[in-house]
Amino acid sequence: ERGISDMMVIHDCFAVHATHAAALSTILREQFVDLHTPHRLQELKMQFERYGPALPDVPERGDFDISSVLDSEYLFA
């Protein structure tokens, strides 16, 4: 969709031609934010409780703004 025609993926490593490095960097940040925005632990708790007893409350989230990753210089996931 973003004009990257050649991309190589091995496990959790991604590679593109140097001309597409900036686009890949943006895409990875966007996907990281999309992946970590929902409260996954709360979702998992709710799924388990459908089939078993109530579980303890999940810890509250901190105050880190995950969207700040979009403007970061580096991203290590």
Side-chain angles (χ1 to χ4, degrees), residues 2-68:
R2 302 210 192 165
I4 298 176
S5 56
D6 296 323
M7 181 174 180
M8 185 170 59
V9 179
I10 301 173
H11 300 288
D12 59 350
C13 297
F14 305 92
V16 294
H17 190 274
T19 58
H20 300 298
L24 178 62
S25 179
T26 299
I27 292 166
L28 291 174
R29 282 172 174 67
E30 291 169 353
Q31 293 303 307
F32 182 87
V33 170
D34 287 347
L35 178 66
H36 293 285
T37 296
H39 200 317
R40 300 289 185 198
L41 193 55
Q42 182 66 36
E43 291 174 359
L44 183 62
K45 176 184 183 267
M46 291 169 45
Q47 288 178 8
F48 280 139
E49 288 180 335
R50 277 193 248 163
Y51 305 105
L55 297 172
D57 291 338
V58 298
E60 287 193 32
R61 287 182 156 192
D63 59 355
F64 178 69
D65 179 11
I66 193 73
S67 67
S68 67

